[in-house]
Amino acid sequence: FVGLAKVLPHLAPLVAAILLIPAPFAAFNSYRKRKLLDTQSGLESIRSLPWRQFEELVAEAYRRKDYKVRENNRGGADGGIDIKLEKDGQVHLVQCKQWKSQKIGVSVIREMFGVMVSEGAASVSVITSGTFTREAGNFAIGKPVDLIDGDRLAALIRDIRSILSRPSP
């Protein structure tokens, strides 16, 4: 133990450096996501985003609405869950569909409802830059399923930006 006690003070700066290396990357990533939301000018700018940035935009919008946000950063299949949200002790799931022209059909909504039930979540939101079919809307009625189309998403982002740009009283 005496030998270890002599070596540890010399290792402390190295261990501290290793632990601090991720901090600037995390700060930059956070800044980048905030900037992504702040620079959106409407539905067309949202539709022009690559799918990964679309998911980051949605996550940042919920983060600013005081949700605890866990993004699915793994590559490959996500089991239908792109973002997990937590607020007031409840879990909410989000599936992002960055589809510009194709409508989201009822099969996607049924699948996400099943994922919500199997995960024990309070609700699920399916968010698209496009639209939903009438069947998808009908299926969601009376269920804890929120369908957010491109127009609603653009309005949500506009509202978040306007709230945050107002001066404090």
Side-chain angles (χ1 to χ4, degrees):
F1 288 116
V2 173
L4 186 60
K6 289 180 181 180
V7 174
L8 284 179
H10 299 291
L11 292 178
L14 178 63
V15 171
I18 290 171
L19 294 176
L20 291 176
I21 286 172
F25 295 104
F28 174 75
N29 200 30
S30 179
Y31 168 79
R32 186 182 58 77
K33 290 177 184 180
R34 285 192 312 271
K35 188 94 172 146
L36 178 64
L37 189 139
D38 292 338
T39 58
Q40 295 309 306
S41 58
L43 184 54
E44 287 310 311
S45 70
I46 293 169
R47 286 183 172 163
S48 70
L49 294 173
W51 69 269
R52 182 40 126 176
Q53 285 185 335
F54 180 76
E55 289 179 9
E56 290 175 341
L57 173 71
V58 170
E60 180 63 21
Y62 280 102
R63 198 173 281 114
R64 292 196 192 184
K65 290 180 62 131
D66 295 324
Y67 282 85
K68 179 181 173 189
V69 176
R70 286 182 289 166
E71 297 176 62
N72 180 0
N73 294 320
R74 298 185 317 256
D78 56 20
I81 303 168
D82 292 322
I83 304 166
K84 277 190 178 182
L85 307 172
E86 286 185 44
K87 192 170 189 179
D88 301 328
Q90 293 190 318
V91 174
H92 308 273
L93 306 178
V94 177
Q95 172 67 44
C96 298
K97 295 289 187 189
Q98 217 275 14
W99 294 356
K100 298 171 181 103
S101 58
Q102 187 176 357
K103 291 184 176 188
I104 307 295
V106 69
S107 62
V108 171
I109 310 310
R110 281 190 187 118
E111 177 184 340
M112 289 311 303
F113 183 69
V115 170
M116 180 200 78
V117 170
S118 71
E119 291 282 324
S123 69
V124 64
S125 296
V126 180
I127 302 176
T128 183
S129 57
T131 60
F132 296 93
T133 64
R134 182 180 315 251
E135 294 81 14
N138 289 341
F139 179 81
I141 293 172
K143 296 177 183 71
V145 176
D146 191 17
L147 305 182
I148 300 175
D149 65 10
D151 290 331
R152 270 188 69 198
L153 177 59
L156 170 71
I157 290 170
R158 188 174 48 251
D159 291 347
I160 289 170
R161 289 180 57 202
S162 68
I163 289 169
L164 294 175
S165 64
R166 289 185 200 146
S168 300

